[in-house]
């Protein structure tokens, strides 16, 4: 039996509280039948008898007695403080994020109109030299969306690998999301590296991520591979890497970013003065994504292929992956109790002591 935050182990003891109205009724009945007479040798002395305050509060003694009885009954019911304890069992997901950091990831083709107008009025040469344009690039948007994806996870190990002309592990599987986010922010430095940004090794990037999942004992193992190009530098072809993923039970989600066609914002250099300014250029067919390979890799491993031409679409993709790869958490709740009947016994004993003291006190004072 629970009342508020208290749990009572022996609630049947509360039946004894039925004695309280019986005792109250008996006391009232006895008060009405009682007739007191006092003999005085002189009537003048009796007239000068003044009731004291103790006479006015003479009902305190039986009230204390009843209060003590209630305290003893509550103590007999064994009140306990219930503390709920939860035990959580997690079937986690191990996720490796494979991120393309080749030079083409610096392309400015995923801008909103407002962002394009904002960049258009800024000094192009200063933006290029400072590297500030990277946050408006394909890689910049990918970093933002992936960071949001990481922050939505709670009990999954997540790692990060980066690939351009070669593949490197940026962060092994970890629960330290803070450190992982800091490492993610620094991936644009890799994109500026001439060793990394010349070509794209999608197959090697996938193999690097799979190597980190090889010994994983998680119930679900996932690779989310994001790229904007075609495989042209891998030692291991993407489909061979997909075979390895399938044998390891790893699901691969592939994400292609970048516009399929049209014009994009770009830097242009004056051949006579060398000045850098803003301009536009067409997207060439060579810059396109090899959707066929990416789709085949995803289908072979039980994953999905996605295409994003702007940041909004990219956000929807990672939100969908987040929903598809939810961690199963089993929570078992149980209650632990701490005995709380000692204070009731103490209060009851004090009330009895006070009642005994008052019962032996005179209630009439004669001046």
């Amino acid at each position: 039996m629970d009342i508020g935050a208290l749990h009572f182990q022996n609630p049947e003891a509360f039946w004894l509280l039925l004695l309280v109205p019986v005792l109250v009724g008996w006391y009232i009945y006895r008060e009405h039948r009682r007739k007191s007479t006092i003999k005085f040798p002189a009537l003048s002395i009796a007239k000068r008898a003044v009731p004291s305050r103790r006479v006015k509060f003479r009902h305190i003694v039986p009230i204390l007695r009843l209060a003590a009885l209630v305290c003893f009954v509550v103590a007999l019911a064994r009140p306990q403080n219930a503390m709920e304890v939860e035990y959580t069992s997690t079937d986690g997901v191990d996720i490796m994020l494979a991120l393309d950091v080749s030079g083409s990831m610096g392309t400015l083709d995923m801008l909103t109109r407002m962002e394009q107008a904002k960049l258009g009025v800024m000094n192009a040469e200063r933006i290029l030299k400072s590297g500030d344009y990277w946050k408006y690039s394909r890689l910049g948007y990918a970093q933002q969306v992936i960071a949001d994806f990481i922050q939505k996870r709670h009990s999954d190990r997540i790692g990060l690998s980066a690939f351009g002309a070669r593949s490197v592990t940026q962060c092994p599987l970890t629960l330290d999301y803070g450190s992982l986010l800091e490492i993610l922010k620094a991936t644009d430095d890799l994109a500026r590296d001439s060793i990394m940004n010349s070509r794209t090794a999608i197959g090697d990037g996938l193999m690097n991520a799979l190597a980190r999942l090889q010994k994983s004992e998680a119930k679900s193992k996932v690779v989310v591979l994001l790229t904007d190009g075609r495989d042209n530098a891998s030692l291991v072809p993407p489909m061979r890497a997909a075979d390895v993923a399938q044998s390891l039970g790893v699901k691969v989600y592939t994400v292609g970013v970048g516009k399929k066609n049209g014009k994009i914002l770009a830097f242009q250099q004056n051949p006579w003065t060398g000045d850098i300014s803003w301009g536009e250029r067409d997207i060439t067919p060579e810059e396109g994504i090899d959707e066929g390979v990416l789709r085949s890799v995803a289908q072979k491993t039980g994953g999905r292929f996605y295409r994003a031409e702007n940041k909004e679409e990219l956000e929807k993709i990672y939100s969908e992956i987040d929903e598809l790869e939810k961690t199963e958490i089993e929570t078992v709740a149980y209650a632990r109790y701490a005995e709380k009947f000692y204070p009731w016994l103490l209060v009851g004993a004090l009330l009895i002591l006070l009642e005994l003291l008052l019962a032996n006190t005179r209630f009439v004072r004669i001046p």
Side-chain angles (χ1 to χ4, degrees), residues 250-317:
V250 177
K251 193 182 299 182
V252 181
Y253 294 95
T254 54
V255 183
V257 295
K259 287 185 177 179
K260 294 181 180 180
N261 49 54
K263 294 183 179 294
I264 60 174
L265 187 67
F267 297 103
Q268 61 183 14
Q269 187 174 25
N270 189 312
W272 306 105
T273 64
D275 292 338
I276 304 295
S277 61
W278 292 110
E280 289 186 340
R281 69 171 179 84
D282 294 322
I283 298 176
T284 63
E286 292 76 16
E287 294 179 285
I289 297 169
D290 193 344
E291 291 191 10
V293 169
L294 295 178
R295 193 182 303 275
S296 297
V297 169
Q299 289 177 349
K300 191 174 188 64
T301 60
R304 294 186 184 181
F305 167 72
Y306 299 93
R307 182 65 192 265
E309 295 193 22
N310 53 57
K311 183 183 178 184
E312 183 179 348
E313 291 177 355
L314 192 59
E315 288 174 340
K316 290 180 180 178
I317 289 169

Side-chain angles (χ1 to χ4, degrees), residues 59-69 348 351-352 354-355 358:
H59 300 299
I60 288 180
V61 171
I63 290 175
L64 291 176
R65 190 175 299 139
L66 289 175
L69 174 62
L351 290 174
I352 289 294
L354 183 60
E355 183 260 335
L358 293 177

Side-chain angles (χ1 to χ4, degrees), residues 207-240:
M207 283 298 296
N208 187 296
L210 293 174
R212 300 301 166 186
L213 293 168
Q214 184 177 5
K215 296 182 179 180
S216 170
E217 297 181 356
K219 183 177 181 179
S220 180
K221 294 174 283 189
V222 175
V223 172
V224 183
L225 186 147
L226 183 147
T227 183
D228 71 338
R230 300 170 177 268
D231 185 82
N232 53 23
S234 290
L235 297 175
V236 180
M239 290 310 300
R240 176 55 184 156

Side-chain angles (χ1 to χ4, degrees), residues 9-23:
Q9 186 67 25
N10 302 322
E12 59 275 6
F14 286 120
W15 287 104
L16 294 174
L17 292 179
L18 294 176
L19 293 174
V20 173
V22 174
L23 294 175

Side-chain angles (χ1 to χ4, degrees), residues 36 44 87 114 117 166 175 220 236 249 265 302 309 321-322 353:
S36 301
S44 59
Y87 170 75
M114 184 176 294
R166 60 186 177 89
L175 289 170
S220 180
V236 180
L265 187 67
E309 295 193 22
I321 295 174
D322 179 57
L353 180 61

Side-chain angles (χ1 to χ4, degrees), residues 30-69:
R30 191 181 61 177
E31 284 291 309
H32 279 90
R33 292 199 47 143
R34 177 180 296 172
K35 293 181 180 180
S36 301
T37 57
I38 303 176
K39 293 182 179 181
F40 282 93
L43 185 60
S44 59
I45 298 178
K47 290 181 178 180
R48 287 185 292 133
V50 180
S52 69
R53 291 180 180 177
R54 291 171 182 157
V55 173
K56 297 177 181 179
F57 297 105
R58 65 185 182 278
H59 300 299
I60 288 180
V61 171
I63 290 175
L64 291 176
R65 190 175 299 139
L66 289 175
L69 174 62

